[in-house]
Amino acid sequence: MKVALITGVTGQDGAYLTEFLLKKGYFVHGIKRRTSLFNTDRIDHLYQDQHESNVRFKLHYGDLTDSTNLIRIIQETQPDEIYNLGAMSHVKVSFDSPEYVANVDGIGTLRILEAVRILGLEKKTRIYQASTSELYGGLPENKNAAGFYDENSPFYPRSPYGVAKIYGFWITKNYREAYNMFACNGILFNHESPLRGETFVTRKITRAASKIGLGLQSCLYLGNLSAQRDWGHAKDYIEAMWLILQQEQPEDFVIATGVTTTVRDFVRMAFAELGVTVEFSGKDEKEKGVIIDIDIEKATQLGLNLDTLKLGETVVKVDPKYFRPTEVDLLLGDPTKSKTKLGWQPKYDLPALVEDMMKADLKLMKKDEYLKQGNYETLNYFE
């Protein structure tokens, strides 16, 4: 039985990867940070009572800022594969917490690599490092001849998150070459799902669209609506992570869809899943999205609130506080190498991703609607 260790196990990718590896027959160890509140929602359905027999999923308290803790966990678990998914991964917030991001996302990667080296597991343990498309910075001159970012495109990070991740990328390559370790970078472009964190733009959009449709919220506030991203489904991307560590030689791979979409169009697609057509007008901070059409039959079937969902209502506005000090306007990845060498083929396109997220969030928000109808209190989630 193969043994895997996952940092960031309670996150979107950690949850999907845990489920994927358990189905493959792995014993999975996950590292979670100690908090005063439960933060295991994404993996609760996978967790087994440790008193049961044949338990193959175990959690450990740990943190990427604690070297001795990581060494102890790796020594105890003796993993065949380590997936370093743990990070402070919110780009906008990284401008507010640059030192913390450097410690976790940059030096945290070094701590994992050094722990494996110190314990003499260089020949046994394969390491996957979660790199990011934010390494490229969205500069036009860094694209390849076809207009994409690939494994050979120069890096130019435009955020403290991207800068920290670039250290993680290079230290992984350095340890691979210096100590002959099987250590790989997966340069993953944006990947989303119903498990995406609530403050990331795609999930913020699908949650807000669902709440607006049910009359639980009146308006969605966003930043740069013209920003373009290469969005895929996290379920597809975690399979690519696994494939990277199954190769004969350690290499770095770009994982992407090769298709780019604006935030504005993602909003349109989300509302369209409710039968609502949103039209945008204005420019920059003055831009807004207004409802211009409603498919009454579809809205009724979905149980939307037609008393609050009205033509002419402004449901999207721009708030400058969500602008980044340095903006990455375009990210578009070239998945050629991952498709040819890994045999990776994504199962979800963007419409399927949006549909999956909207179905899940509409179902989730209906719980709040039912509670309010029963005069129960519900929590408000605001940034």
Side-chain angles (χ1 to χ4, degrees):
M1 185 186 300
K2 276 190 174 182
V3 176
L5 175 64
I6 302 173
T7 69
V9 71
T10 60
Q12 168 190 253
D13 293 0
Y16 283 126
L17 182 61
T18 298
E19 187 170 20
F20 178 86
L21 294 178
L22 288 173
K23 288 179 179 177
K24 290 281 185 185
Y26 280 65
F27 192 110
V28 179
H29 295 274
I31 298 179
K32 70 180 291 290
R33 285 176 296 143
R34 170 75 179 98
T35 65
S36 58
L37 299 173
F38 286 121
N39 64 342
T40 56
D41 294 7
R42 296 182 177 100
I43 55 174
D44 283 342
H45 67 291
L46 302 171
Y47 193 73
Q48 298 168 277
D49 188 317
Q50 300 300 294
H51 301 95
E52 296 178 9
S53 58
N54 299 317
V55 172
R56 290 191 293 113
F57 181 31
K58 184 176 182 180
L59 293 177
H60 305 260
Y61 285 118
D63 198 294
L64 285 168
T65 63
D66 187 342
S67 300
T68 56
N69 174 267
L70 293 173
I71 292 171
R72 176 184 58 79
I73 293 173
I74 293 172
Q75 184 178 39
E76 288 178 359
T77 59
Q78 295 286 304
D80 299 293
E81 298 171 1
I82 294 178
Y83 295 87
N84 185 30
L85 311 184
M88 202 307 289
S89 58
H90 198 290
V91 178
K92 176 64 172 69
V93 175
S94 76
F95 285 96
D96 301 322
S97 309
E99 183 180 341
Y100 176 73
V101 171
N103 192 6
V104 174
D105 299 14
I107 307 302
T109 306
L110 171 63
R111 293 184 181 109
I112 293 285
L113 293 162
E114 187 67 355
V116 170
R117 189 191 69 82
I118 289 171
L119 294 169
L121 298 174
E122 301 99 321
K123 304 303 179 189
K124 171 183 172 62
T125 304
R126 297 186 171 198
I127 303 169
Y128 171 85
Q129 166 60 15
S131 286
T132 169
S133 57
E134 291 288 334
L135 298 179
Y136 298 116
L139 297 184
E141 58 268 29
N142 289 357
K143 297 178 186 175
N144 62 20
F148 297 86
Y149 297 106
D150 62 20
E151 291 80 4
N152 299 312
S153 298
F155 296 143
Y156 198 98
R158 303 267 289 164
S159 67
Y161 168 70
V163 172
K165 279 291 189 178
I166 209 165
Y167 178 88
F169 176 91
W170 283 114
I171 200 66
T172 299
K173 282 180 72 80
N174 179 255
Y175 268 62
R176 179 169 74 212
E177 295 169 1
Y179 302 112
N180 198 27
M181 294 170 66
F182 199 108
C184 308
N185 289 287
I187 307 174
L188 272 59
F189 280 65
N190 297 64
H191 47 290
E192 320 298 315
S193 76
L195 299 185
R196 189 57 146 151
E198 293 89 347
T199 60
F200 289 84
V201 69
T202 52
R203 187 76 196 289
K204 184 176 175 180
I205 290 168
T206 57
R207 281 172 59 92
S210 299
K211 294 180 78 170
I212 290 169
L214 295 170
L216 301 174
Q217 182 174 327
S218 59
C219 190
L220 164 63
Y221 292 90
L222 295 169
N224 182 7
L225 295 173
S226 297
Q228 298 177 69
R229 292 293 181 268
D230 183 333
W231 279 305
H233 200 299
K235 283 185 177 180
D236 288 328
Y237 284 48
I238 59 98
E239 183 176 2
M241 297 176 188
W242 177 76
L243 286 169
I244 288 172
L245 291 194
Q246 310 314 307
Q247 303 306 299
E248 290 187 10
Q249 298 297 325
E251 294 184 62
D252 304 322
F253 291 86
V254 164
I255 309 299
T257 70
V259 178
T260 189
T261 309
T262 64
V263 173
R264 186 184 298 104
D265 283 337
F266 195 99
V267 172
R268 288 194 184 103
M269 295 173 71
F271 276 98
E273 289 295 320
L274 304 176
V276 177
T277 303
V278 174
E279 183 179 74
F280 287 88
S281 61
K283 189 177 180 182
D284 299 329
E285 296 178 17
K286 301 297 183 182
E287 186 170 3
K288 62 180 182 180
V290 177
I291 296 176
I292 62 168
D293 190 38
I294 301 172
D295 184 334
I296 301 298
E297 183 179 349
K298 185 172 185 177
T300 302
Q301 289 176 347
L302 293 174
L304 304 187
N305 189 335
L306 293 173
D307 292 330
T308 58
L309 202 61
K310 296 178 180 179
L311 296 177
E313 286 291 318
T314 299
V315 291
V316 182
K317 291 182 180 179
V318 171
D319 186 341
K321 81 173 184 178
Y322 296 119
F323 293 157
R324 301 177 186 175
T326 47
E327 181 61 79
V328 176
D329 293 317
L330 171 66
L331 290 175
L332 179 61
D334 185 348
T336 302
K337 181 180 177 182
S338 59
K339 288 184 175 181
T340 54
K341 295 201 77 170
L342 298 178
W344 178 70
Q345 287 294 334
K347 301 176 181 64
Y348 287 81
D349 58 11
L350 184 60
L353 168 64
V354 176
E355 180 185 5
D356 190 30
M357 294 180 70
M358 282 301 298
K359 280 184 177 179
D361 273 334
L362 186 60
K363 183 178 180 181
L364 178 66
M365 295 310 163
K366 280 186 176 182
K367 291 182 181 179
D368 277 7
E369 184 186 34
Y370 295 147
L371 288 170
K372 284 181 177 290
Q373 290 172 354
N375 294 318
Y376 291 98
E377 290 187 5
T378 59
L379 295 174
N380 288 320
Y381 295 95
F382 296 108
E383 291 182 74

